[in-house]
Amino acid sequence: MLLAMDIGNTNVKIGVFDGDNIVASWRMSTKAKRTADEYGMVLYDLLKQQGVSFKDIKHAVMSSVAPALNYTLEHMCGYYIGIKPLCISHTLDTGISIDYDHPSELGADRIVGAAAAYHFYGGPVIEVDFGSATTFNLVAADGRFMGGAIAPGIMTATESLAAATAKLPRIELSAPENVVGRNTRACMQSGIIFGYTGLVKYMLEKYRALPEMRCAKVVATGGLSEIVANTEPNLFDVVDRAIALKGLKYIYDRNR
């Protein structure tokens, strides 16, 4: 079995593969102060619920945008499972070529998302990942990663708005009934949900005007992707929230 770990700024996504099938997947909060033992015990309990033990795990792969956790989770894998995970970077064979000014600066999450979107859905493709940041990743038909854009994530912007103002509350992330809010919460929901949907729609229009991106598929992923998809149903061709884990498995297989 293969253990796949996607370490984000907000959550650590974990999946276990038996061959090409995902046996189970989980999310746990990203906490830099957690020790390798704490992550190991949580993982032990999660695996046990699915009838899987550490000895069943023979391989591991991880991508990370939280450097403070890299050693912790690598040490967990070594101590509890007895294996060293393959860590995603621009130097691996990902199935795409990276046409980026400084490839070493490209986040592992963007590499995995772009490679997975191209492999599973073909190119040209635009992958939009709704996480702590909202990222746009473009891959041309020939498998060339062209770059994209990074914007604050929906939740990040919402939390920042509440934290930076004295009277604005934290709100539920759901679309209001009307774009014109009649109370503070509805106004905030309108600005965040409809505003971010407009941001995504505008960016996609600009990208699809590029010669390399004509007829590009748009693949959305991330925990908040469905909010935007429900607000603007025809914006995405595919919503695939498991693309990160599937991408880790795909890249691992190419580099095994």
Side-chain angles (χ1 to χ4, degrees), residues 108-165:
D109 57 337
R110 297 182 68 193
I111 294 173
V112 171
Y118 181 74
H119 172 69
F120 290 108
Y121 300 105
V125 65
I126 304 168
E127 188 241 4
V128 189
D129 188 350
F130 295 90
S132 299
T134 299
T135 61
F136 298 81
N137 303 301
L138 282 62
V139 184
D142 61 359
R144 177 171 51 93
F145 177 84
M146 299 171 54
I150 303 174
I154 297 175
M155 183 63 77
T156 303
T158 306
E159 289 295 316
S160 177
L161 191 61
T165 57

Short mmCIF file of all heavy atoms in Angstrom, two decimals, residues 108-165:
data_model
loop_
_atom_site.label_atom_id
_atom_site.label_comp_id
_atom_site.label_asym_id
_atom_site.label_seq_id
_atom_site.Cartn_x
_atom_site.Cartn_y
_atom_site.Cartn_z
N ALA A 108 5.12 22.74 -4.38
CA ALA A 108 4.87 21.33 -4.67
C ALA A 108 3.40 21.06 -4.94
O ALA A 108 3.05 20.20 -5.76
CB ALA A 108 5.36 20.47 -3.51
N ASP A 109 2.51 21.81 -4.26
CA ASP A 109 1.09 21.61 -4.48
C ASP A 109 0.68 21.99 -5.90
O ASP A 109 -0.16 21.32 -6.52
CB ASP A 109 0.28 22.41 -3.47
CG ASP A 109 0.60 23.91 -3.49
OD1 ASP A 109 1.70 24.29 -3.93
OD2 ASP A 109 -0.26 24.70 -3.05
N ARG A 110 1.29 23.05 -6.43
CA ARG A 110 0.97 23.45 -7.80
C ARG A 110 1.53 22.47 -8.82
O ARG A 110 0.90 22.20 -9.85
CB ARG A 110 1.51 24.86 -8.06
CG ARG A 110 0.87 25.93 -7.18
CD ARG A 110 1.39 27.31 -7.50
NE ARG A 110 0.95 27.74 -8.83
CZ ARG A 110 1.46 28.80 -9.47
NH1 ARG A 110 2.44 29.51 -8.92
NH2 ARG A 110 0.99 29.15 -10.67
N ILE A 111 2.70 21.92 -8.53
CA ILE A 111 3.28 20.91 -9.41
C ILE A 111 2.37 19.69 -9.48
O ILE A 111 2.04 19.19 -10.56
CB ILE A 111 4.68 20.50 -8.92
CG1 ILE A 111 5.66 21.67 -9.05
CG2 ILE A 111 5.20 19.30 -9.71
CD1 ILE A 111 7.03 21.41 -8.43
N VAL A 112 1.94 19.21 -8.32
CA VAL A 112 1.09 18.02 -8.26
C VAL A 112 -0.25 18.28 -8.95
O VAL A 112 -0.72 17.45 -9.75
CB VAL A 112 0.87 17.59 -6.79
CG1 VAL A 112 -0.18 16.48 -6.71
CG2 VAL A 112 2.17 17.12 -6.18
N GLY A 113 -0.87 19.42 -8.65
CA GLY A 113 -2.16 19.73 -9.24
C GLY A 113 -2.11 19.85 -10.76
O GLY A 113 -2.97 19.32 -11.47
N ALA A 114 -1.09 20.55 -11.25
CA ALA A 114 -0.96 20.73 -12.70
C ALA A 114 -0.68 19.41 -13.39
O ALA A 114 -1.26 19.09 -14.44
CB ALA A 114 0.16 21.74 -12.99
N ALA A 115 0.23 18.60 -12.81
CA ALA A 115 0.57 17.32 -13.42
C ALA A 115 -0.64 16.38 -13.43
O ALA A 115 -0.89 15.68 -14.42
CB ALA A 115 1.73 16.68 -12.66
N ALA A 116 -1.38 16.37 -12.33
CA ALA A 116 -2.55 15.49 -12.24
C ALA A 116 -3.65 15.93 -13.20
O ALA A 116 -4.27 15.09 -13.88
CB ALA A 116 -3.09 15.47 -10.81
N ALA A 117 -3.90 17.22 -13.28
CA ALA A 117 -4.94 17.72 -14.19
C ALA A 117 -4.61 17.37 -15.63
O ALA A 117 -5.48 16.95 -16.40
CB ALA A 117 -5.10 19.23 -14.02
N TYR A 118 -3.34 17.52 -16.00
CA TYR A 118 -2.93 17.21 -17.38
C TYR A 118 -3.02 15.71 -17.65
O TYR A 118 -3.49 15.29 -18.71
CB TYR A 118 -1.50 17.70 -17.60
CG TYR A 118 -0.98 17.45 -19.00
CD1 TYR A 118 -1.43 18.21 -20.08
CD2 TYR A 118 -0.04 16.45 -19.24
CE1 TYR A 118 -0.95 17.97 -21.37
CE2 TYR A 118 0.44 16.21 -20.52
CZ TYR A 118 -0.02 16.98 -21.58
OH TYR A 118 0.45 16.74 -22.86
N HIS A 119 -2.59 14.89 -16.69
CA HIS A 119 -2.60 13.45 -16.88
C HIS A 119 -4.02 12.89 -16.96
O HIS A 119 -4.33 12.09 -17.85
CB HIS A 119 -1.85 12.76 -15.74
CG HIS A 119 -1.97 11.27 -15.76
ND1 HIS A 119 -1.38 10.49 -16.73
CD2 HIS A 119 -2.62 10.41 -14.92
CE1 HIS A 119 -1.66 9.21 -16.50
NE2 HIS A 119 -2.42 9.14 -15.41
N PHE A 120 -4.88 13.31 -16.04
CA PHE A 120 -6.21 12.71 -15.96
C PHE A 120 -7.22 13.35 -16.91
O PHE A 120 -8.20 12.69 -17.29
CB PHE A 120 -6.73 12.80 -14.53
CG PHE A 120 -6.00 11.91 -13.56
CD1 PHE A 120 -5.13 12.44 -12.62
CD2 PHE A 120 -6.15 10.54 -13.61
CE1 PHE A 120 -4.45 11.63 -11.73
CE2 PHE A 120 -5.48 9.70 -12.73
CZ PHE A 120 -4.62 10.26 -11.79
N TYR A 121 -7.02 14.61 -17.29
CA TYR A 121 -8.02 15.30 -18.10
C TYR A 121 -7.49 15.83 -19.42
O TYR A 121 -8.25 16.36 -20.22
CB TYR A 121 -8.65 16.43 -17.28
CG TYR A 121 -9.32 15.92 -16.03
CD1 TYR A 121 -8.72 16.10 -14.78
CD2 TYR A 121 -10.52 15.22 -16.09
CE1 TYR A 121 -9.32 15.60 -13.62
CE2 TYR A 121 -11.12 14.73 -14.95
CZ TYR A 121 -10.52 14.92 -13.72
OH TYR A 121 -11.11 14.42 -12.58
N GLY A 122 -6.20 15.69 -19.66
CA GLY A 122 -5.63 16.12 -20.94
C GLY A 122 -5.35 17.62 -20.97
O GLY A 122 -5.69 18.36 -20.06
N GLY A 123 -4.72 18.04 -22.05
CA GLY A 123 -4.39 19.46 -22.19
C GLY A 123 -4.89 20.01 -23.51
O GLY A 123 -5.24 19.25 -24.43
N PRO A 124 -5.01 21.31 -23.60
CA PRO A 124 -4.66 22.28 -22.56
C PRO A 124 -5.66 22.21 -21.39
O PRO A 124 -6.82 21.88 -21.58
CB PRO A 124 -4.73 23.62 -23.28
CG PRO A 124 -5.72 23.41 -24.38
CD PRO A 124 -5.52 21.99 -24.83
N VAL A 125 -5.13 22.56 -20.21
CA VAL A 125 -5.97 22.48 -19.02
C VAL A 125 -5.60 23.61 -18.06
O VAL A 125 -4.44 24.02 -17.98
CB VAL A 125 -5.81 21.10 -18.32
CG1 VAL A 125 -4.40 20.91 -17.80
CG2 VAL A 125 -6.84 20.91 -17.22
N ILE A 126 -6.62 24.11 -17.37
CA ILE A 126 -6.43 25.12 -16.34
C ILE A 126 -6.92 24.50 -15.03
O ILE A 126 -8.09 24.15 -14.90
CB ILE A 126 -7.23 26.40 -16.63
CG1 ILE A 126 -6.86 26.97 -18.01
CG2 ILE A 126 -6.99 27.45 -15.53
CD1 ILE A 126 -7.81 28.05 -18.49
N GLU A 127 -6.00 24.35 -14.09
CA GLU A 127 -6.37 23.79 -12.79
C GLU A 127 -6.49 24.94 -11.80
O GLU A 127 -5.59 25.78 -11.69
CB GLU A 127 -5.30 22.80 -12.31
CG GLU A 127 -5.70 22.03 -11.06
CD GLU A 127 -4.77 22.27 -9.89
OE1 GLU A 127 -3.84 23.09 -10.01
OE2 GLU A 127 -5.00 21.66 -8.84
N VAL A 128 -7.63 25.00 -11.11
CA VAL A 128 -7.88 26.04 -10.11
C VAL A 128 -8.03 25.36 -8.75
O VAL A 128 -8.91 24.54 -8.56
CB VAL A 128 -9.16 26.85 -10.43
CG1 VAL A 128 -9.26 28.06 -9.50
CG2 VAL A 128 -9.17 27.30 -11.89
N ASP A 129 -7.14 25.72 -7.83
CA ASP A 129 -7.10 25.08 -6.52
C ASP A 129 -7.55 26.08 -5.46
O ASP A 129 -6.91 27.12 -5.25
CB ASP A 129 -5.68 24.59 -6.22
CG ASP A 129 -5.62 23.74 -4.96
OD1 ASP A 129 -6.62 23.68 -4.21
OD2 ASP A 129 -4.56 23.13 -4.72
N PHE A 130 -8.65 25.76 -4.79
CA PHE A 130 -9.22 26.63 -3.76
C PHE A 130 -8.77 26.14 -2.39
O PHE A 130 -9.40 25.27 -1.78
CB PHE A 130 -10.74 26.64 -3.85
CG PHE A 130 -11.27 27.24 -5.11
CD1 PHE A 130 -11.49 26.46 -6.23
CD2 PHE A 130 -11.55 28.59 -5.19
CE1 PHE A 130 -11.98 27.01 -7.41
CE2 PHE A 130 -12.04 29.16 -6.35
CZ PHE A 130 -12.26 28.38 -7.47
N GLY A 131 -7.67 26.69 -1.91
CA GLY A 131 -7.16 26.33 -0.59
C GLY A 131 -6.90 27.58 0.22
O GLY A 131 -7.64 28.57 0.12
N SER A 132 -5.85 27.57 1.02
CA SER A 132 -5.47 28.78 1.76
C SER A 132 -5.18 29.91 0.80
O SER A 132 -5.41 31.08 1.09
CB SER A 132 -4.25 28.50 2.64
OG SER A 132 -4.54 27.49 3.58
N ALA A 133 -4.65 29.56 -0.37
CA ALA A 133 -4.53 30.48 -1.50
C ALA A 133 -5.36 29.91 -2.64
O ALA A 133 -5.59 28.70 -2.71
CB ALA A 133 -3.08 30.65 -1.93
N THR A 134 -5.84 30.78 -3.51
CA THR A 134 -6.51 30.32 -4.74
C THR A 134 -5.48 30.41 -5.85
O THR A 134 -5.00 31.49 -6.17
CB THR A 134 -7.72 31.20 -5.08
OG1 THR A 134 -8.68 31.13 -4.01
CG2 THR A 134 -8.40 30.74 -6.36
N THR A 135 -5.11 29.26 -6.41
CA THR A 135 -4.07 29.24 -7.43
C THR A 135 -4.64 28.80 -8.78
O THR A 135 -5.53 27.95 -8.85
CB THR A 135 -2.92 28.30 -7.05
OG1 THR A 135 -3.42 26.96 -6.90
CG2 THR A 135 -2.28 28.74 -5.74
N PHE A 136 -4.10 29.39 -9.82
CA PHE A 136 -4.44 29.05 -11.20
C PHE A 136 -3.19 28.48 -11.85
O PHE A 136 -2.14 29.13 -11.85
CB PHE A 136 -4.91 30.29 -11.97
CG PHE A 136 -6.14 30.94 -11.42
CD1 PHE A 136 -6.07 31.79 -10.33
CD2 PHE A 136 -7.38 30.71 -11.99
CE1 PHE A 136 -7.21 32.40 -9.81
CE2 PHE A 136 -8.53 31.31 -11.50
CZ PHE A 136 -8.43 32.16 -10.40
N ASN A 137 -3.30 27.29 -12.41
CA ASN A 137 -2.15 26.61 -13.01
C ASN A 137 -2.48 26.19 -14.43
O ASN A 137 -3.47 25.47 -14.65
CB ASN A 137 -1.77 25.40 -12.17
CG ASN A 137 -1.48 25.79 -10.73
OD1 ASN A 137 -0.61 26.60 -10.46
ND2 ASN A 137 -2.23 25.23 -9.79
N LEU A 138 -1.69 26.65 -15.39
CA LEU A 138 -1.96 26.43 -16.80
C LEU A 138 -0.97 25.44 -17.40
O LEU A 138 0.25 25.59 -17.24
CB LEU A 138 -1.87 27.75 -17.58
CG LEU A 138 -3.04 28.73 -17.50
CD1 LEU A 138 -3.28 29.23 -16.08
CD2 LEU A 138 -2.81 29.90 -18.45
N VAL A 139 -1.50 24.43 -18.09
CA VAL A 139 -0.66 23.47 -18.79
C VAL A 139 -1.12 23.41 -20.25
O VAL A 139 -2.30 23.16 -20.52
CB VAL A 139 -0.74 22.06 -18.16
CG1 VAL A 139 0.24 21.12 -18.86
CG2 VAL A 139 -0.43 22.12 -16.67
N ALA A 140 -0.20 23.66 -21.16
CA ALA A 140 -0.51 23.65 -22.59
C ALA A 140 -0.73 22.23 -23.10
O ALA A 140 -0.46 21.25 -22.39
CB ALA A 140 0.61 24.34 -23.37
N ALA A 141 -1.18 22.12 -24.33
CA ALA A 141 -1.48 20.81 -24.90
C ALA A 141 -0.26 19.92 -24.97
O ALA A 141 -0.37 18.69 -24.91
CB ALA A 141 -2.08 20.99 -26.30
N ASP A 142 0.94 20.51 -25.10
CA ASP A 142 2.17 19.73 -25.18
C ASP A 142 2.75 19.38 -23.82
O ASP A 142 3.86 18.86 -23.72
CB ASP A 142 3.21 20.47 -26.02
CG ASP A 142 3.60 21.83 -25.43
OD1 ASP A 142 3.04 22.21 -24.38
OD2 ASP A 142 4.45 22.51 -26.04
N GLY A 143 2.00 19.68 -22.73
CA GLY A 143 2.47 19.32 -21.40
C GLY A 143 3.39 20.35 -20.77
O GLY A 143 4.06 20.06 -19.77
N ARG A 144 3.39 21.55 -21.29
CA ARG A 144 4.26 22.60 -20.76
C ARG A 144 3.51 23.42 -19.71
O ARG A 144 2.50 24.04 -20.01
CB ARG A 144 4.74 23.51 -21.91
CG ARG A 144 5.59 24.69 -21.48
CD ARG A 144 6.18 25.37 -22.72
NE ARG A 144 5.14 25.67 -23.70
CZ ARG A 144 4.50 26.84 -23.75
NH1 ARG A 144 4.77 27.80 -22.88
NH2 ARG A 144 3.59 27.05 -24.67
N PHE A 145 4.04 23.41 -18.49
CA PHE A 145 3.47 24.24 -17.43
C PHE A 145 3.85 25.69 -17.71
O PHE A 145 5.03 26.04 -17.73
CB PHE A 145 3.98 23.81 -16.06
CG PHE A 145 3.47 24.67 -14.93
CD1 PHE A 145 2.23 24.43 -14.36
CD2 PHE A 145 4.23 25.73 -14.44
CE1 PHE A 145 1.76 25.23 -13.33
CE2 PHE A 145 3.78 26.53 -13.40
CZ PHE A 145 2.54 26.28 -12.85
N MET A 146 2.84 26.54 -17.91
CA MET A 146 3.07 27.91 -18.34
C MET A 146 3.13 28.92 -17.20
O MET A 146 3.57 30.05 -17.38
CB MET A 146 1.96 28.34 -19.31
CG MET A 146 1.90 27.50 -20.57
SD MET A 146 0.41 27.88 -21.56
CE MET A 146 0.56 29.66 -21.76
N GLY A 147 2.67 28.53 -16.01
CA GLY A 147 2.56 29.48 -14.91
C GLY A 147 1.10 29.66 -14.54
O GLY A 147 0.29 28.76 -14.70
N GLY A 148 0.75 30.84 -14.06
CA GLY A 148 -0.63 31.09 -13.67
C GLY A 148 -0.76 32.28 -12.75
O GLY A 148 -0.19 33.33 -13.01
N ALA A 149 -1.47 32.11 -11.65
CA ALA A 149 -1.70 33.23 -10.73
C ALA A 149 -1.96 32.68 -9.33
O ALA A 149 -2.37 31.53 -9.16
CB ALA A 149 -2.88 34.08 -11.19
N ILE A 150 -1.70 33.53 -8.34
CA ILE A 150 -1.98 33.21 -6.94
C ILE A 150 -2.76 34.37 -6.33
O ILE A 150 -2.33 35.52 -6.42
CB ILE A 150 -0.69 32.99 -6.13
CG1 ILE A 150 0.16 31.89 -6.75
CG2 ILE A 150 -1.01 32.67 -4.67
CD1 ILE A 150 1.53 31.72 -6.10
N ALA A 151 -3.89 34.06 -5.73
CA ALA A 151 -4.71 35.06 -5.05
C ALA A 151 -4.99 34.56 -3.62
O ALA A 151 -4.86 33.37 -3.34
CB ALA A 151 -6.03 35.28 -5.79
N PRO A 152 -5.37 35.45 -2.71
CA PRO A 152 -5.74 34.98 -1.37
C PRO A 152 -6.89 33.98 -1.46
O PRO A 152 -7.78 34.11 -2.30
CB PRO A 152 -6.18 36.27 -0.66
CG PRO A 152 -5.52 37.37 -1.40
CD PRO A 152 -5.46 36.92 -2.83
N GLY A 153 -6.87 32.98 -0.60
CA GLY A 153 -7.95 32.01 -0.58
C GLY A 153 -9.23 32.61 -0.03
O GLY A 153 -9.21 33.65 0.64
N ILE A 154 -10.34 31.95 -0.31
CA ILE A 154 -11.64 32.46 0.14
C ILE A 154 -11.69 32.53 1.66
O ILE A 154 -12.08 33.55 2.24
CB ILE A 154 -12.77 31.57 -0.40
CG1 ILE A 154 -12.81 31.62 -1.93
CG2 ILE A 154 -14.12 32.00 0.17
CD1 ILE A 154 -13.82 30.68 -2.55
N MET A 155 -11.29 31.46 2.33
CA MET A 155 -11.30 31.45 3.79
C MET A 155 -10.28 32.43 4.35
O MET A 155 -10.54 33.12 5.34
CB MET A 155 -11.02 30.05 4.32
CG MET A 155 -11.08 29.94 5.84
SD MET A 155 -12.73 30.30 6.51
CE MET A 155 -13.56 28.75 6.11
N THR A 156 -9.11 32.52 3.71
CA THR A 156 -8.08 33.44 4.15
C THR A 156 -8.58 34.87 4.11
O THR A 156 -8.38 35.66 5.05
CB THR A 156 -6.83 33.31 3.27
OG1 THR A 156 -6.37 31.95 3.31
CG2 THR A 156 -5.71 34.22 3.74
N ALA A 157 -9.25 35.24 3.02
CA ALA A 157 -9.78 36.59 2.88
C ALA A 157 -10.88 36.85 3.90
O ALA A 157 -10.98 37.94 4.48
CB ALA A 157 -10.30 36.80 1.47
N THR A 158 -11.72 35.85 4.13
CA THR A 158 -12.82 36.01 5.09
C THR A 158 -12.29 36.23 6.51
O THR A 158 -12.75 37.11 7.24
CB THR A 158 -13.73 34.77 5.06
OG1 THR A 158 -14.17 34.54 3.73
CG2 THR A 158 -14.94 34.95 5.96
N GLU A 159 -11.31 35.41 6.89
CA GLU A 159 -10.72 35.54 8.23
C GLU A 159 -9.99 36.86 8.37
O GLU A 159 -10.04 37.51 9.42
CB GLU A 159 -9.77 34.37 8.49
CG GLU A 159 -10.47 33.03 8.69
CD GLU A 159 -11.32 33.03 9.95
OE1 GLU A 159 -10.86 33.51 10.99
OE2 GLU A 159 -12.47 32.55 9.88
N SER A 160 -9.32 37.29 7.32
CA SER A 160 -8.59 38.56 7.35
C SER A 160 -9.55 39.73 7.52
O SER A 160 -9.27 40.68 8.26
CB SER A 160 -7.77 38.73 6.07
OG SER A 160 -7.12 39.98 6.04
N LEU A 161 -10.69 39.66 6.87
CA LEU A 161 -11.69 40.72 6.96
C LEU A 161 -12.21 40.85 8.39
O LEU A 161 -12.34 41.96 8.92
CB LEU A 161 -12.84 40.41 6.00
CG LEU A 161 -13.87 41.53 5.75
CD1 LEU A 161 -13.20 42.75 5.13
CD2 LEU A 161 -14.97 41.01 4.83
N ALA A 162 -12.46 39.72 9.03
CA ALA A 162 -12.96 39.75 10.41
C ALA A 162 -11.88 40.20 11.38
O ALA A 162 -12.15 40.93 12.34
CB ALA A 162 -13.49 38.37 10.79
N ALA A 163 -10.64 39.76 11.13
CA ALA A 163 -9.54 40.08 12.04
C ALA A 163 -9.11 41.54 11.95
O ALA A 163 -8.66 42.12 12.94
CB ALA A 163 -8.36 39.16 11.77
N ALA A 164 -9.24 42.13 10.77
CA ALA A 164 -8.72 43.49 10.55
C ALA A 164 -9.75 44.58 10.83
O ALA A 164 -9.43 45.76 10.73
CB ALA A 164 -8.21 43.61 9.12
N THR A 165 -10.98 44.19 11.16
CA THR A 165 -12.03 45.18 11.41
C THR A 165 -12.63 44.97 12.79
O THR A 165 -12.67 43.85 13.31
CB THR A 165 -13.14 45.09 10.35
OG1 THR A 165 -13.67 43.75 10.34
CG2 THR A 165 -12.60 45.42 8.97
#
